[in-house]
Amino acid sequence: MICKKIITNIFTLSVLTMAMQQFSAQKVVVNREVETTNDGKMLLGHQLKEQFVKEPYSEWYTKEFNEYALDQKAVTELRKNNINSYNLIVFVGTWCEDSHRDFPRLMKILEEVKYPDSRLTIIAVNRKKESPTGDEVKYNVSKVPTIIVEKYGKEIGRMIEMPTTGYVERDLVEILKKDDGSVLKEIFKKEN
């Protein structure tokens, strides 16, 4: 009898929790494309990587993706440092030459390390570096491309506009090397 009551209470609580999550879930439009007077078509807001192999973006994306020669030593380091356990938030401008260069390179690197799409967030911004959801404010982004590396919701590091080493994969290795587990220590410190 008591067991049945406990199970009923747990079930009710679970249903209420799921209902609240559904209610509070924000709907985000994905793969938004806008037409502008000066720049023609432009991606804006959250994007899936497949959008970049469509015209007119494929013109610059595919060329850079195919021509970029990966630094295999750095790619090996990314695997060794388990880049697939980190979240990446990438801000790009489909109108921006730096994004045209480094975003396809990043995508080639991620393909090489079999990075899970579920950990990748791509946000396209307009020339004012704005997105429909205001993510640029949340992440304090003022230049593109910006690649943010996170673990457990905490920023580990970021690459802004151009890789300082000249290679996206080398910059990513440097960011991962800085992750000394302090995020985990910080989380557990709060719980104690």
Side-chain angles (χ1 to χ4, degrees):
M1 190 66 121
I2 291 174
C3 201
K4 186 177 180 184
K5 194 171 188 176
I6 290 172
I7 291 172
T8 303
N9 286 342
I10 290 172
F11 177 75
T12 305
L13 187 61
S14 298
V15 169
L16 282 172
T17 302
M18 287 192 307
M20 290 299 288
Q21 287 173 342
Q22 287 287 0
F23 181 72
S24 66
Q26 188 181 36
K27 283 192 176 182
V28 175
V29 176
V30 179
N31 294 338
R32 181 181 305 193
E33 184 178 59
V34 297
E35 186 80 35
T36 65
T37 307
N38 295 332
D39 297 310
K41 287 186 176 181
M42 175 190 304
L43 295 177
L44 195 57
H46 288 251
Q47 303 293 323
L48 298 176
K49 64 183 182 182
E50 292 77 24
Q51 282 299 96
F52 296 90
V53 295
K54 296 178 183 175
E55 286 296 332
Y57 320 105
S58 63
E59 190 176 301
W60 52 267
Y61 180 87
T62 306
K63 182 180 186 301
E64 189 63 41
F65 184 96
N66 291 337
E67 291 178 1
Y68 185 61
L70 294 168
D71 177 339
Q72 288 300 332
K73 184 179 178 209
V75 169
T76 300
E77 283 291 308
L78 289 174
R79 283 191 193 104
K80 187 176 132 193
N81 288 299
N82 202 12
I83 188 162
N84 293 355
S85 69
Y86 292 82
N87 292 323
L88 295 178
I89 298 95
V90 184
F91 286 85
V92 297
T94 54
W95 45 267
C96 167
E97 288 182 21
D98 291 337
S99 293
H100 290 187
R101 180 192 62 241
D102 289 325
F103 179 69
R105 292 176 178 187
L106 171 67
M107 299 316 295
K108 186 168 187 170
I109 295 159
L110 298 181
E111 184 176 286
E112 182 73 13
V113 298
K114 296 176 177 47
Y115 187 82
D117 289 347
S118 61
R119 291 191 167 273
L120 176 65
T121 303
I122 304 167
I123 302 167
V125 296
N126 62 20
R127 284 191 176 271
K128 293 180 180 178
K129 319 303 185 298
E130 298 168 336
S131 70
T133 51
D135 292 299
E136 72 284 353
V137 175
K138 175 182 174 186
Y139 290 101
N140 193 25
V141 171
S142 58
K143 295 180 180 181
V144 288
T146 294
I147 302 167
I148 300 169
V149 181
E150 281 188 345
K151 189 149 196 177
Y152 306 115
K154 286 287 253 179
E155 183 175 325
I156 304 301
R158 64 174 59 195
M159 187 192 93
I160 301 170
E161 215 169 17
M162 301 178 75
T164 56
T165 62
Y167 292 85
V168 174
E169 58 271 44
R170 290 180 188 169
D171 272 29
L172 289 172
V173 167
E174 292 305 311
I175 290 169
L176 296 184
K177 283 182 179 177
K178 291 178 189 173
D179 181 19
D180 60 0
S182 59
V183 171
L184 268 180
K185 291 174 193 163
E186 196 175 307
I187 289 169
F188 287 114
K189 186 170 65 178
K190 287 178 184 174
E191 289 180 359
N192 293 334

